[in-house]
Amino acid sequence: MDASIVGILMLDGATNGAVYALLALAIVLVFAVTRVIFIPQGEFVAYGALTLALLQLGRVPGTVWLLVVLALLAAVLDAVQRIRRGVPVGQVVVAALKSLAIPALIVAVTLWAAPLKLPLVVQSLLTLAIVTPLGPLVYRLAYEKLADATVLVLLIVSVGVHFALTGLGLVFFGAEGFRNPSFWDARFSAGALSLSGQTIIIFLVSIALIVALFLFFERTLRGKALRATAVNRLGARLMGISTSGAGHLSFGLAAFIGALSGLLIGPATTMFYDSGFLIGLKGFVAAIFGGLASYPAAALGAIFVGLLESFGSFWASAFKEVIVFTVIIPVLLWRSFQHGHGDEEE
């Protein structure tokens, strides 16, 4: 190994780490607000990449029909709750139609746009519009009723949601892998290093999204509400902040970040219906570095995971996944010794 190889590996690791950082931030956000260890985060990555792949082929992606089914189920549950509270039937119907308006519009646009094979940027925006609403719907159907349950119960639910979304991914996209076209085909050379336009886009989008999230949490009322919910759910509720709304928003942001990550890495690797699981786990390992609480530590952990994966693939490519996931053991031991043993959550 010489300096040029080290530079190439560091560039590759930093590129992967930028994507893992986005996933780690999403996982930390969801856990801080809802106490859900969101294992299915990687599924949104796969859904984003594969939805775009089918749009590239001029086909209607199955995620559209998943959006329809989940929206209908959520509307039915909301209608039943309103009827039990004694809300007039007319108001129930109007509320249900309002909740179904955006999914119906997305479906109509997708059915019209898919056969046209529109430009890549337009298809990417449509992909984000399809996948992002799945986050709040998953929270509504799987987690909202269990919002006050223990972390262990929520973790078990996350495992079930992961298997359900993975199985649906196989149904929607099949076992065949897809690779999306690059957003920018230019290449730039600096000595032994070769920097692709797609790599530059990954860095720029990751930095822009991190800055946008910082401004969102620091400057907007909804961002401050999320921070308050993360600090003290009961206190936030007493101050009039809807913890249910905070959960919907955090899952929506997580789905958006996951879909965007899928769009970014789709041109760099072949994506399968179950590829998101390993990618999401690497984001989870990075989040563990931050104790599922610190955003900066999670971002730094993601860069470290990306570099470790890059150098591990050079020295022992067959064991690169083992190397990455083994790192979580000393981190957990360190945090265990640092914080000691607390009482079991009731």
Side-chain angles (χ1 to χ4, degrees), residues 5 16 37 40 47 51 76 82 100 130 132 139 148 152 157 184-185 210 219 247 257-258 291 294 303 317:
I5 295 178
N16 292 334
I37 300 176
Y47 278 20
T51 297
V76 170
R82 290 188 174 95
L100 292 174
I130 294 171
T132 300
Y139 176 77
D148 296 322
L152 178 60
V157 173
W184 189 15
D185 294 324
I210 291 173
R219 303 294 176 85
I257 292 172
S294 172
I303 299 299
S317 60

Side-chain angles (χ1 to χ4, degrees), residues 46-274:
Y47 278 20
L50 296 177
T51 297
L52 178 60
L54 290 190
L55 289 175
Q56 282 282 301
L57 297 175
R59 294 159 53 186
V60 177
T63 42
V64 170
W65 309 122
L66 177 62
L67 175 63
V68 171
V69 172
L70 294 184
L72 287 174
L73 290 176
V76 170
L77 289 179
D78 290 339
V80 170
Q81 287 185 351
R82 290 188 174 95
I83 291 174
R84 288 179 177 176
R85 294 200 305 265
V87 178
V89 176
Q91 296 182 14
V92 172
V93 173
V94 171
L97 292 177
K98 286 182 178 179
S99 65
L100 292 174
I102 293 180
L105 177 62
I106 294 173
V107 171
V109 172
T110 304
L111 293 176
W112 167 78
L116 299 179
K117 295 185 178 181
L118 298 174
L120 180 60
V121 174
V122 177
Q123 291 179 335
S124 299
L125 293 176
L126 182 58
T127 297
L128 293 175
I130 294 171
V131 178
T132 300
L134 296 178
L137 290 173
V138 168
Y139 176 77
R140 173 66 183 89
L141 296 173
Y143 296 99
E144 190 173 39
K145 287 294 185 180
L146 301 172
D148 296 322
T150 64
V151 174
L152 178 60
V153 172
L154 295 174
L155 175 61
I156 294 172
V157 173
S158 286
V159 174
V161 173
H162 156 67
F163 283 120
L165 292 179
T166 303
L168 290 172
L170 177 59
V171 173
F172 296 150
F173 308 111
E176 181 182 359
F178 296 90
R179 178 174 292 210
N180 295 325
S182 175
F183 288 93
W184 189 15
D185 294 324
R187 300 197 71 86
F188 306 91
S189 298
L193 293 179
S194 179
L195 190 65
S196 68
Q198 182 65 28
T199 299
I200 295 176
I201 288 178
I202 289 175
F203 282 123
L204 292 179
V205 171
S206 299
I207 293 172
L209 186 56
I210 291 173
V211 172
L213 287 174
F214 172 78
L215 295 176
F216 172 74
F217 287 121
E218 291 291 331
R219 303 294 176 85
T220 67
L221 187 60
R222 285 184 176 272
K224 293 177 180 179
L226 282 183
R227 289 172 57 195
T229 306
V231 173
N232 189 322
R233 288 175 59 84
L234 179 59
R237 199 175 298 166
L238 293 175
M239 292 297 103
I241 297 173
S242 171
T243 54
S244 175
H248 282 83
L249 181 56
S250 63
F251 270 71
L253 289 173
F256 173 80
I257 292 172
L260 182 61
S261 300
L263 298 181
L264 293 176
I265 66 176
T269 182
T270 301
M271 294 292 293
F272 297 86
Y273 74 95
D274 58 350

